[in-house]
Amino acid sequence: MELDVGDVGQAVSTGTLPGWDRVEELVAAAWHRNRDLRAGEVADYIPILAEVDPELFGVCVAEVDGGIHLAGDADHPFSIQSISKAFVYALVCDAVGHQVVLDRVGVDNTGLPFNSVMAVELNDGHPRNPMVNAGALATTALVPGATPAAKWTFIQDGLARFAGRPLPLDEQVYASEAATNQRNRAIARLLESYGRIDTDPLAVVDVYTRQCALLVSARDLAVMGATLADGGVNPVTGERVVAASVCQDTLAVLAASGLYERSGEWLYEIGVPGKSGVAGGIVTVAPGKAGIGTFSPRLDGAGNSVRGQRATAYLSRALGLNVFASDVRTPDGRSST
Ligand code: DON
């Protein structure tokens, strides 16, 4: 997609954000310049998601020092959906270890849509990465806990620690998806047939469906992202949620697959790891600097929020977040710009 960022320029990655007032200004600008954009469609394959007000639009930047910058509907609640995959993955890596998750789930992009059955078949039952539904189901199956209820408690508590507050379940979203998630049930059965899930696959789908129905805001996503940007410590609560090495693993996975088959394009244009969800959220993580949360329900063909991508592209450029951007050094070691 074309990402019009106007004449904001390309600020390079410096290791620090600009000053407080400049970040405030840019967050407001990211919202203002995209608020009239109407491109994209609201998701309707989960029936209740089609009832959302498509005009909602919120942007939030959470700095790793705990500072918060808000614009628009940044406190409006919506279901986290696929963005939960990133944080459940981090919690599972922290609990069971890098190698177990790598072997069982993988880290490579499938190049296919997030709910592809064909991707599982093409890879002999290996999900390939934890951000597509097959890999997310395989990851949720690895969550510690003897019962589905225990696994659910682990996930709900863990995501709350990332957000720094309890995250309620949207019962209506859960019920709507539970009644229409035959495809995820089929994927879980397929994984079971390949030996990739060794507990009750339908119980795994139920826990996964619940994790997707947790309510967050753009502010929550920004704080959750800032926790991954801050070596695993929530910058608002000060609590360590996961190990720093887990953040690194998670961000690498997001860079490869966070925006599904559009992940390469996202990385090329925006240059920082991100994760989208079909309710319209996107979380973006600038390591050592900040988390960005956006919410706008109209999606592109791959299921990624259109205004969210634009706002994030603008902020990445203007705040100097792109991890691939560098500058010529002067002989005294300072940046030439
Ligand atoms: O499993 C599903 O299809 C949804 N609960 C989540 C999908 C999703 O968010 C894809 N994101 N863009």
Side-chain angles (χ1 to χ4, degrees):
M1 79 183 293
E2 198 180 319
L3 299 168
D4 176 18
V5 297
D7 59 358
V8 68
Q10 171 68 71
V12 300
S13 175
T14 60
T16 55
L17 292 175
W20 178 268
D21 291 347
R22 179 70 177 145
V23 182
E24 284 278 291
E25 203 177 285
L26 290 169
V27 169
W31 185 85
H32 272 285
R33 58 181 297 121
N34 292 298
R35 68 177 167 172
D36 295 328
L37 187 61
R38 303 255 155 8
E41 303 289 337
V42 166
D44 59 5
Y45 78 98
I46 299 171
I48 200 161
L49 295 186
E51 293 173 22
V52 71
D53 174 0
E55 297 304 324
L56 288 163
F57 182 30
V59 179
C60 179
V61 168
E63 300 194 29
V64 290
D65 69 1
I68 305 280
H69 307 266
L70 302 161
D73 303 306
D75 284 314
H76 187 88
F78 57 93
S79 53
I80 188 169
Q81 297 296 340
S82 276
I83 303 167
S84 66
K85 294 168 180 169
F87 298 98
V88 172
Y89 176 74
L91 293 166
V92 169
C93 284
D94 205 57
V96 309
H98 175 101
Q99 199 60 43
V100 172
V101 191
L102 179 61
D103 292 345
R104 180 61 73 101
V105 188
V107 292
D108 282 313
N109 198 304
T110 63
L112 290 166
F114 65 87
N115 56 2
S116 174
V117 174
M118 193 165 68
V120 181
E121 286 293 351
L122 286 173
N123 292 293
D124 292 329
H126 196 285
R128 282 185 78 86
N129 82 70
M131 298 302 130
V132 293
N133 289 9
L137 289 164
T139 304
T140 295
L142 292 174
V143 166
T147 62
K151 288 177 189 285
W152 169 237
T153 301
F154 176 92
I155 290 174
Q156 197 171 18
D157 287 356
L159 265 59
R161 287 186 291 130
F162 270 112
R165 71 175 188 102
L167 299 176
L169 178 76
D170 186 323
E171 295 286 354
Q172 279 189 305
V173 170
Y174 165 66
S176 183
E177 182 163 354
T180 54
N181 64 356
Q182 291 81 0
R183 195 176 180 89
N184 284 342
R185 284 182 250 161
I187 291 172
R189 283 281 192 212
L190 190 58
L191 291 172
E192 181 193 29
S193 78
Y194 279 108
R196 297 279 170 193
I197 285 185
D198 38 29
T199 58
D200 175 1
L202 297 187
V204 171
V205 174
D206 186 65
V207 173
Y208 165 82
T209 306
R210 287 172 186 274
Q211 82 185 44
C212 290
L214 285 172
L215 283 172
V216 291
S217 62
R219 181 203 296 258
D220 291 323
L221 290 182
V223 173
M224 295 170 87
T227 303
L228 290 177
D230 192 31
V233 174
N234 182 316
V236 175
T237 64
E239 186 183 358
R240 172 163 294 286
V241 183
V242 290
S245 63
V246 164
C247 296
Q248 200 176 317
D249 291 348
T250 306
L251 296 183
V253 164
L254 295 190
S257 301
L259 280 279
Y260 307 114
E261 67 273 32
R262 302 274 168 83
S263 298
E265 195 177 344
W266 166 273
L267 211 53
Y268 190 69
E269 300 288 357
I270 295 174
V272 262
K275 180 77 203 88
S276 63
V278 283
I282 301 181
V283 65
T284 303
V285 183
K289 294 178 187 165
I292 302 175
T294 61
F295 169 54
S296 174
R298 291 194 187 93
L299 312 177
D300 68 13
N304 304 317
S305 167
V306 175
R307 286 197 295 202
Q309 290 180 79
R310 295 265 191 139
T312 307
Y314 179 85
L315 288 170
S316 176
R317 290 278 182 98
L319 292 172
L321 306 183
N322 190 319
V323 296
F324 304 113
S326 58
D327 201 358
V328 179
R329 296 265 139 185
T330 59
D332 65 2
R334 283 180 314 183
S335 167
S336 63
T337 53

